[in-house]
mmCIF file of all heavy atoms in Angstrom:
data_model
loop_
_atom_site.group_PDB
_atom_site.id
_atom_site.type_symbol
_atom_site.label_atom_id
_atom_site.label_comp_id
_atom_site.label_asym_id
_atom_site.label_seq_id
_atom_site.Cartn_x
_atom_site.Cartn_y
_atom_site.Cartn_z
ATOM 1 N N PHE H 1398 49.524 149.498 -15.328
ATOM 2 C CA PHE H 1398 50.458 148.924 -14.357
ATOM 3 C C PHE H 1398 49.741 148.642 -13.046
ATOM 4 O O PHE H 1398 48.670 149.203 -12.782
ATOM 5 C CB PHE H 1398 51.648 149.857 -14.129
ATOM 6 C CG PHE H 1398 52.630 149.835 -15.258
ATOM 7 C CD1 PHE H 1398 52.662 150.860 -16.202
ATOM 8 C CD2 PHE H 1398 53.521 148.784 -15.399
ATOM 9 C CE1 PHE H 1398 53.565 150.828 -17.243
ATOM 10 C CE2 PHE H 1398 54.427 148.747 -16.443
ATOM 11 C CZ PHE H 1398 54.452 149.766 -17.366
ATOM 12 N N SER H 1399 50.361 147.834 -12.229
ATOM 13 C CA SER H 1399 49.699 147.411 -10.988
ATOM 14 C C SER H 1399 49.451 148.599 -10.050
ATOM 15 O O SER H 1399 48.589 148.539 -9.188
ATOM 16 C CB SER H 1399 50.530 146.346 -10.275
ATOM 17 O OG SER H 1399 51.855 146.805 -10.151
ATOM 18 N N ASN H 1400 50.203 149.702 -10.237
ATOM 19 C CA ASN H 1400 49.960 150.875 -9.388
ATOM 20 C C ASN H 1400 48.826 151.742 -9.929
ATOM 21 O O ASN H 1400 48.565 152.823 -9.414
ATOM 22 C CB ASN H 1400 51.231 151.698 -9.238
ATOM 23 C CG ASN H 1400 51.679 152.333 -10.532
ATOM 24 O OD1 ASN H 1400 51.047 152.150 -11.584
ATOM 25 N ND2 ASN H 1400 52.764 153.073 -10.483
ATOM 26 N N GLY H 1401 48.172 151.271 -11.008
ATOM 27 C CA GLY H 1401 47.025 152.001 -11.536
ATOM 28 C C GLY H 1401 47.325 152.884 -12.735
ATOM 29 O O GLY H 1401 46.406 153.336 -13.415
ATOM 30 N N THR H 1402 48.614 153.133 -13.013
ATOM 31 C CA THR H 1402 48.954 153.983 -14.155
ATOM 32 C C THR H 1402 48.529 153.321 -15.455
ATOM 33 O O THR H 1402 48.906 152.182 -15.736
ATOM 34 C CB THR H 1402 50.484 154.196 -14.227
ATOM 35 O OG1 THR H 1402 50.952 154.570 -12.945
ATOM 36 C CG2 THR H 1402 50.836 155.250 -15.262
ATOM 37 N N LEU H 1403 47.734 154.060 -16.222
ATOM 38 C CA LEU H 1403 47.388 153.582 -17.555
ATOM 39 C C LEU H 1403 48.445 154.132 -18.510
ATOM 40 O O LEU H 1403 48.541 155.331 -18.732
ATOM 41 C CB LEU H 1403 45.990 154.062 -17.939
ATOM 42 C CG LEU H 1403 45.414 153.497 -19.238
ATOM 43 C CD1 LEU H 1403 45.304 151.985 -19.172
ATOM 44 C CD2 LEU H 1403 44.051 154.116 -19.520
ATOM 45 N N ALA H 1404 49.282 153.269 -19.048
ATOM 46 C CA ALA H 1404 50.409 153.735 -19.845
ATOM 47 C C ALA H 1404 50.081 153.782 -21.333
ATOM 48 O O ALA H 1404 50.547 154.665 -22.050
ATOM 49 C CB ALA H 1404 51.620 152.844 -19.610
ATOM 50 N N LEU H 1405 49.284 152.849 -21.792
ATOM 51 C CA LEU H 1405 48.964 152.794 -23.215
ATOM 52 C C LEU H 1405 47.489 152.446 -23.380
ATOM 53 O O LEU H 1405 46.934 151.664 -22.609
ATOM 54 C CB LEU H 1405 49.793 151.716 -23.914
ATOM 55 C CG LEU H 1405 51.271 152.021 -24.134
ATOM 56 C CD1 LEU H 1405 52.008 150.755 -24.510
ATOM 57 C CD2 LEU H 1405 51.447 153.076 -25.221
ATOM 58 N N GLY H 1422 57.910 160.120 -29.565
ATOM 59 C CA GLY H 1422 56.861 160.614 -28.686
ATOM 60 C C GLY H 1422 57.485 161.170 -27.433
ATOM 61 O O GLY H 1422 58.628 160.878 -27.114
ATOM 62 N N ALA H 1423 56.692 161.968 -26.733
ATOM 63 C CA ALA H 1423 57.213 162.632 -25.549
ATOM 64 C C ALA H 1423 57.556 161.607 -24.475
ATOM 65 O O ALA H 1423 57.095 160.468 -24.511
ATOM 66 C CB ALA H 1423 56.182 163.624 -25.027
ATOM 67 N N SER H 1424 58.352 162.041 -23.538
ATOM 68 C CA SER H 1424 58.702 161.198 -22.402
ATOM 69 C C SER H 1424 57.447 160.794 -21.649
ATOM 70 O O SER H 1424 56.578 161.619 -21.396
ATOM 71 C CB SER H 1424 59.642 161.989 -21.492
ATOM 72 O OG SER H 1424 60.064 161.192 -20.434
ATOM 73 N N GLY H 1425 57.341 159.528 -21.328
ATOM 74 C CA GLY H 1425 56.184 159.057 -20.578
ATOM 75 C C GLY H 1425 55.003 158.663 -21.436
ATOM 76 O O GLY H 1425 53.953 158.301 -20.929
ATOM 77 N N SER H 1426 55.153 158.707 -22.770
ATOM 78 C CA SER H 1426 54.025 158.369 -23.634
ATOM 79 C C SER H 1426 53.901 156.864 -23.840
ATOM 80 O O SER H 1426 53.021 156.410 -24.558
ATOM 81 C CB SER H 1426 54.141 159.096 -24.973
ATOM 82 O OG SER H 1426 55.371 158.801 -25.579
ATOM 83 N N GLY H 1427 54.788 156.079 -23.228
ATOM 84 C CA GLY H 1427 54.594 154.628 -23.258
ATOM 85 C C GLY H 1427 55.416 153.884 -24.294
ATOM 86 O O GLY H 1427 55.157 152.718 -24.581
ATOM 87 N N LYS H 1428 56.432 154.537 -24.839
ATOM 88 C CA LYS H 1428 57.240 153.897 -25.894
ATOM 89 C C LYS H 1428 57.973 152.671 -25.368
ATOM 90 O O LYS H 1428 57.925 151.597 -25.979
ATOM 91 C CB LYS H 1428 58.258 154.908 -26.459
ATOM 92 C CG LYS H 1428 57.645 156.220 -26.903
ATOM 93 C CD LYS H 1428 58.671 157.172 -27.472
ATOM 94 C CE LYS H 1428 59.703 157.670 -26.474
ATOM 95 N NZ LYS H 1428 59.129 158.523 -25.406
ATOM 96 N N SER H 1429 58.639 152.835 -24.237
ATOM 97 C CA SER H 1429 59.373 151.696 -23.681
ATOM 98 C C SER H 1429 58.413 150.577 -23.300
ATOM 99 O O SER H 1429 58.685 149.403 -23.549
ATOM 100 C CB SER H 1429 60.153 152.115 -22.443
ATOM 101 O OG SER H 1429 61.090 153.095 -22.775
ATOM 102 N N THR H 1430 57.289 150.967 -22.713
ATOM 103 C CA THR H 1430 56.300 149.970 -22.314
ATOM 104 C C THR H 1430 55.851 149.141 -23.513
ATOM 105 O O THR H 1430 55.731 147.918 -23.434
ATOM 106 C CB THR H 1430 55.093 150.669 -21.676
ATOM 107 O OG1 THR H 1430 55.576 151.494 -20.608
ATOM 108 C CG2 THR H 1430 54.092 149.692 -21.141
ATOM 109 N N LEU H 1431 55.645 149.830 -24.647
ATOM 110 C CA LEU H 1431 55.215 149.134 -25.858
ATOM 111 C C LEU H 1431 56.257 148.086 -26.279
ATOM 112 O O LEU H 1431 55.930 146.920 -26.518
ATOM 113 C CB LEU H 1431 55.011 150.167 -26.971
ATOM 114 C CG LEU H 1431 54.337 149.673 -28.247
ATOM 115 C CD1 LEU H 1431 52.942 149.169 -27.931
ATOM 116 C CD2 LEU H 1431 54.273 150.784 -29.282
ATOM 117 N N ARG H 1433 58.580 146.734 -24.458
ATOM 118 C CA ARG H 1433 58.737 145.692 -23.440
ATOM 119 C C ARG H 1433 57.613 144.660 -23.521
ATOM 120 O O ARG H 1433 57.831 143.480 -23.266
ATOM 121 C CB ARG H 1433 58.797 146.320 -22.043
ATOM 122 C CG ARG H 1433 60.078 147.141 -21.827
ATOM 123 C CD ARG H 1433 59.999 147.999 -20.568
ATOM 124 N NE ARG H 1433 59.795 147.179 -19.391
ATOM 125 C CZ ARG H 1433 60.779 146.539 -18.759
ATOM 126 N NH1 ARG H 1433 62.011 146.660 -19.178
ATOM 127 N NH2 ARG H 1433 60.512 145.804 -17.713
ATOM 128 N N GLU H 1439 56.964 142.675 -20.382
ATOM 129 C CA GLU H 1439 55.726 143.076 -19.692
ATOM 130 C C GLU H 1439 54.574 142.355 -20.380
ATOM 131 O O GLU H 1439 54.673 142.017 -21.560
ATOM 132 C CB GLU H 1439 55.417 144.547 -19.871
ATOM 133 C CG GLU H 1439 56.212 145.628 -19.235
ATOM 134 C CD GLU H 1439 56.410 145.683 -17.770
ATOM 135 O OE1 GLU H 1439 55.648 145.044 -17.017
ATOM 136 O OE2 GLU H 1439 57.347 146.377 -17.367
ATOM 137 N N GLN H 1465 68.653 150.706 -23.848
ATOM 138 C CA GLN H 1465 69.311 152.005 -23.865
ATOM 139 C C GLN H 1465 70.758 151.902 -23.383
ATOM 140 O O GLN H 1465 71.641 152.575 -23.879
ATOM 141 C CB GLN H 1465 68.524 152.960 -22.972
ATOM 142 C CG GLN H 1465 69.032 154.375 -22.980
ATOM 143 C CD GLN H 1465 68.054 155.327 -22.339
ATOM 144 O OE1 GLN H 1465 66.925 154.959 -22.020
ATOM 145 N NE2 GLN H 1465 68.471 156.557 -22.148
ATOM 146 N N ASP H 1539 65.350 150.240 -27.902
ATOM 147 C CA ASP H 1539 64.800 151.301 -27.056
ATOM 148 C C ASP H 1539 65.860 152.379 -26.854
ATOM 149 O O ASP H 1539 66.741 152.236 -26.018
ATOM 150 C CB ASP H 1539 64.358 150.725 -25.711
ATOM 151 C CG ASP H 1539 63.512 151.724 -24.918
ATOM 152 O OD1 ASP H 1539 63.359 152.873 -25.385
ATOM 153 O OD2 ASP H 1539 63.020 151.354 -23.834
ATOM 154 N N GLU H 1540 65.748 153.430 -27.601
ATOM 155 C CA GLU H 1540 66.729 154.528 -27.544
ATOM 156 C C GLU H 1540 68.151 153.978 -27.484
ATOM 157 O O GLU H 1540 68.905 154.274 -26.560
ATOM 158 C CB GLU H 1540 66.458 155.419 -26.334
ATOM 159 C CG GLU H 1540 65.060 156.002 -26.360
ATOM 160 C CD GLU H 1540 64.809 156.903 -25.159
ATOM 161 O OE1 GLU H 1540 65.773 157.539 -24.702
ATOM 162 O OE2 GLU H 1540 63.665 156.970 -24.711
ATOM 163 N N VAL H 1571 62.641 152.786 -30.888
ATOM 164 C CA VAL H 1571 62.131 153.913 -30.107
ATOM 165 C C VAL H 1571 63.220 154.965 -30.044
ATOM 166 O O VAL H 1571 64.380 154.651 -29.785
ATOM 167 C CB VAL H 1571 61.763 153.473 -28.675
ATOM 168 C CG1 VAL H 1571 61.640 154.668 -27.761
ATOM 169 C CG2 VAL H 1571 60.472 152.688 -28.696
ATOM 170 N N HIS H 1573 64.093 159.389 -29.228
ATOM 171 C CA HIS H 1573 63.682 160.756 -28.917
ATOM 172 C C HIS H 1573 64.002 161.669 -30.074
ATOM 173 O O HIS H 1573 63.582 162.820 -30.114
ATOM 174 C CB HIS H 1573 64.492 161.274 -27.715
ATOM 175 C CG HIS H 1573 63.856 161.001 -26.407
ATOM 176 N ND1 HIS H 1573 64.482 160.286 -25.425
ATOM 177 C CD2 HIS H 1573 62.642 161.344 -25.922
ATOM 178 C CE1 HIS H 1573 63.680 160.206 -24.386
ATOM 179 N NE2 HIS H 1573 62.568 160.835 -24.657
ATOM 180 N N LEU H 1588 53.615 158.649 -30.867
ATOM 181 C CA LEU H 1588 52.774 158.351 -29.697
ATOM 182 C C LEU H 1588 52.600 159.638 -28.919
ATOM 183 O O LEU H 1588 53.572 160.337 -28.657
ATOM 184 C CB LEU H 1588 53.456 157.342 -28.780
ATOM 185 C CG LEU H 1588 53.339 155.849 -29.009
ATOM 186 C CD1 LEU H 1588 54.012 155.120 -27.849
ATOM 187 C CD2 LEU H 1588 51.905 155.418 -29.122
ATOM 188 N N GLN H 1591 49.027 160.841 -22.281
ATOM 189 C CA GLN H 1591 49.177 159.919 -21.179
ATOM 190 C C GLN H 1591 47.783 159.526 -20.749
ATOM 191 O O GLN H 1591 47.060 160.346 -20.202
ATOM 192 C CB GLN H 1591 49.937 160.579 -20.016
ATOM 193 C CG GLN H 1591 51.243 159.919 -19.781
ATOM 194 C CD GLN H 1591 52.119 160.681 -18.806
ATOM 195 O OE1 GLN H 1591 51.986 161.884 -18.635
ATOM 196 N NE2 GLN H 1591 53.009 159.978 -18.182
ATOM 197 N N HIS H 1645 64.552 165.633 -23.349
ATOM 198 C CA HIS H 1645 64.544 166.432 -22.121
ATOM 199 C C HIS H 1645 65.341 167.719 -22.217
ATOM 200 O O HIS H 1645 66.529 167.715 -22.153
ATOM 201 C CB HIS H 1645 65.078 165.614 -20.958
ATOM 202 C CG HIS H 1645 64.574 164.211 -20.974
ATOM 203 N ND1 HIS H 1645 63.304 163.884 -20.620
ATOM 204 C CD2 HIS H 1645 65.154 163.059 -21.353
ATOM 205 C CE1 HIS H 1645 63.125 162.599 -20.759
ATOM 206 N NE2 HIS H 1645 64.218 162.056 -21.199
HETATM 207 N N1 ATP R 2380 56.914 149.454 -13.889
HETATM 208 C C1 ATP R 2380 56.071 150.497 -13.924
HETATM 209 N N2 ATP R 2380 55.149 150.650 -12.963
HETATM 210 C C2 ATP R 2380 54.263 151.668 -12.998
HETATM 211 N N3 ATP R 2380 54.220 152.597 -13.959
HETATM 212 C C3 ATP R 2380 55.135 152.518 -14.941
HETATM 213 C C4 ATP R 2380 56.104 151.467 -14.977
HETATM 214 N N4 ATP R 2380 56.865 151.650 -16.085
HETATM 215 C C5 ATP R 2380 56.397 152.744 -16.680
HETATM 216 N N5 ATP R 2380 55.343 153.275 -16.010
HETATM 217 C C6 ATP R 2380 54.558 154.450 -16.390
HETATM 218 O O1 ATP R 2380 54.096 154.248 -17.707
HETATM 219 C C7 ATP R 2380 54.173 155.426 -18.467
HETATM 220 C C8 ATP R 2380 54.983 155.174 -19.724
HETATM 221 O O2 ATP R 2380 56.321 154.863 -19.367
HETATM 222 P P1 ATP R 2380 57.402 154.519 -20.465
HETATM 223 O O3 ATP R 2380 58.652 154.176 -19.760
HETATM 224 O O4 ATP R 2380 56.852 153.517 -21.399
HETATM 225 O O5 ATP R 2380 57.564 155.908 -21.222
HETATM 226 P P2 ATP R 2380 58.522 156.296 -22.421
HETATM 227 O O6 ATP R 2380 57.676 156.760 -23.532
HETATM 228 O O7 ATP R 2380 59.471 155.197 -22.703
HETATM 229 O O8 ATP R 2380 59.297 157.532 -21.813
HETATM 230 P P3 ATP R 2380 60.798 157.996 -22.056
HETATM 231 O O9 ATP R 2380 60.812 158.650 -23.376
HETATM 232 O O10 ATP R 2380 61.045 158.968 -20.958
HETATM 233 O O11 ATP R 2380 61.672 156.782 -21.985
HETATM 234 C C9 ATP R 2380 54.779 156.486 -17.549
HETATM 235 O O12 ATP R 2380 53.717 157.264 -17.059
HETATM 236 C C10 ATP R 2380 55.389 155.707 -16.420
HETATM 237 O O13 ATP R 2380 55.290 156.397 -15.231
#
Side-chain angles (χ1 to χ4, degrees):
Chain H
F1398 284 102
S1399 51
N1400 66 359
T1402 311
L1403 187 60
L1405 287 166
S1424 183
S1426 56
K1428 308 181 294 294
S1429 299
T1430 305
L1431 190 61
R1433 292 168 59 81
E1439 290 304 341
Q1465 184 167 352
D1539 192 355
E1540 302 181 32
V1571 163
H1573 270 122
L1588 275 186
Q1591 245 170 335
H1645 319 285

